[in-house]
């Protein structure tokens, strides 16, 4: 076997893989920017132009633009879920864990503005999206129900109730810059904990405890930077030598 030729083949595979990864990343970045702008009804040609890749390259990665938008949104949700999960993984009390998650998500426009724009533009689809953040939230509420901490019998209903309220209030606060976002979200957290079954005084105390520092996952931090940019960096054509 010609070792030099074999090594050359490995190098080509590596370069091809890097080109494919760069093209996919450019498409994901373009899709996330378009979601944040509320422009998911655009053509595939518009997407590839925004990504600065060839039209035909799109179909090497995604069958439809709906698949692209779904995966772009999923990557953002997973990044936020990972960051939030690390923050509450050692919190034993499910009520406190729910409160921290609720209040952090409510402050998303302050701590992760790129993610906030994706979530608010996606609207109710954010709640219905069956990704890791949704599942982790439902699982946490379910644990609280089993432990007798929460009185609502159905975790999915509880998630929809408090999640819908949070999404609506965050959307409102983003349009009202004069409002004290932290104070409003903490007041809403009191109501969410009461809805789950906590007594008023305990709910009020927990919802006003000091929050731990939220450190975004690298992918979430990168998302915020990408959404500040006018467009993705040019991806090298996949078929180039």
């Amino acid at each position: 076997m010609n070792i030099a030729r074999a090594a050359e083949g490995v190098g080509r595979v590596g370069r091809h893989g890097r080109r494919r990864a760069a093209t996919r990343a450019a498409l994901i970045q373009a899709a996330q920017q378009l979601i944040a702008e509320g422009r998911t009804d655009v053509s595939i040609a518009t997407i590839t132009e925004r990504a600065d890749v060839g039209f035909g390259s799109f179909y090497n990665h995604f069958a439809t633009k709906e698949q692209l938008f779904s995966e772009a949104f999923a990557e953002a949700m997973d990044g936020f879920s990972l960051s939030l999960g690390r923050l509450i993984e050692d919190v034993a009390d499910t009520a406190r864990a729910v409160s921290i998650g609720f209040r952090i998500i409510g402050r998303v426009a302050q701590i992760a503005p790129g993610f906030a724009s994706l979530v608010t533009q996606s609207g109710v689809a954010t709640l219905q999206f069956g990704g890791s953040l949704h599942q982790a939230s439902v699982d946490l509420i379910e644990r609280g129900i089993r432990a007798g901490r929460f009185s609502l019998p159905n975790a999915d209903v509880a998630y929809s109730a408090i999640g819908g309220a949070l999404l609506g209030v965050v959307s409102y606060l983003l349009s009202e810059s004069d409002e004290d976002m932290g104070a409003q979200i903490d007041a809403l957290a009191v109501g969410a904990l009461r809805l789950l079954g906590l007594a008023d005084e305990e709910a009020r105390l927990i919802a006003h405890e000091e929050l731990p520092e939220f450190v975004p996952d690298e992918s979430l931090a990168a998302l915020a930077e990408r959404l500040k940019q006018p467009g993705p960096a040019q991806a090298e054509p996949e078929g180039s030598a």
Side-chain angles (χ1 to χ4, degrees):
M1 180 178 180
N2 188 313
I3 296 177
R5 186 172 299 172
E8 182 182 355
V10 171
R12 285 174 179 170
V13 171
R15 287 194 298 274
H16 177 66
R18 288 193 295 273
R19 288 170 187 151
R20 282 186 59 86
T23 299
R24 184 185 185 280
L27 289 166
I28 288 287
Q29 178 179 344
Q32 288 173 336
Q33 290 174 332
L34 289 165
I35 294 171
E37 295 166 10
R39 298 176 58 206
T40 56
D41 58 347
V42 298
S43 66
I44 290 176
T46 298
I47 297 170
T48 55
E49 182 179 354
R50 171 70 70 96
D52 201 11
V53 302
F55 182 87
S57 296
F58 180 94
Y59 293 101
N60 292 333
H61 300 272
F62 305 100
T64 64
K65 66 178 183 180
E66 288 76 18
Q67 181 190 0
L68 166 62
F69 281 125
S70 177
E71 292 192 24
F73 185 68
E75 287 194 14
M77 293 290 282
D78 285 345
F80 193 82
S81 179
L82 180 61
S83 302
L84 194 56
R86 289 171 176 166
L87 195 67
I88 64 174
E89 62 184 353
D90 295 325
V91 180
D93 179 14
T94 51
R96 283 182 165 79
V98 166
S99 176
I100 291 170
F102 188 95
R103 294 166 66 204
I104 288 290
I105 294 172
R107 288 165 166 80
V108 68
Q110 297 173 335
I111 59 179
F115 181 74
S117 60
L118 289 175
V119 168
T120 54
Q121 287 293 344
S122 299
V124 177
T126 302
L127 296 176
Q128 298 171 340
F129 181 77
S132 57
L133 185 60
H134 177 171
Q135 192 57 55
S137 301
V138 172
D139 289 347
L140 181 59
I141 295 171
E142 181 63 41
R143 288 210 322 266
I145 293 172
R146 290 198 305 268
R149 200 72 172 101
F150 305 141
S151 59
L152 283 181
N154 188 305
D156 287 290
V157 170
Y159 165 80
S160 297
I162 66 175
L166 182 58
L167 181 62
V169 170
V170 168
S171 297
Y172 165 75
L173 291 173
L174 286 174
S175 66
E176 298 293 333
S177 58
D178 293 337
E179 293 280 1
D180 184 336
M181 179 174 289
Q184 296 295 340
I185 292 299
D186 291 349
L188 184 63
V190 175
L193 292 171
R194 290 177 61 189
L195 178 64
L196 290 172
L198 270 67
D200 182 69
E201 185 59 28
E202 184 181 21
R204 194 175 304 280
L205 288 172
I206 290 176
H208 288 89
E209 291 178 347
E210 184 177 355
L211 281 171
E213 181 184 4
F214 181 84
V215 180
D217 177 71
E218 289 182 5
S219 62
L220 189 62
L223 171 63
E225 289 303 313
R226 289 201 302 268
L227 293 180
K228 293 178 184 177
Q229 301 169 8
Q234 183 173 358
E236 185 180 0
E238 291 181 31
S240 62

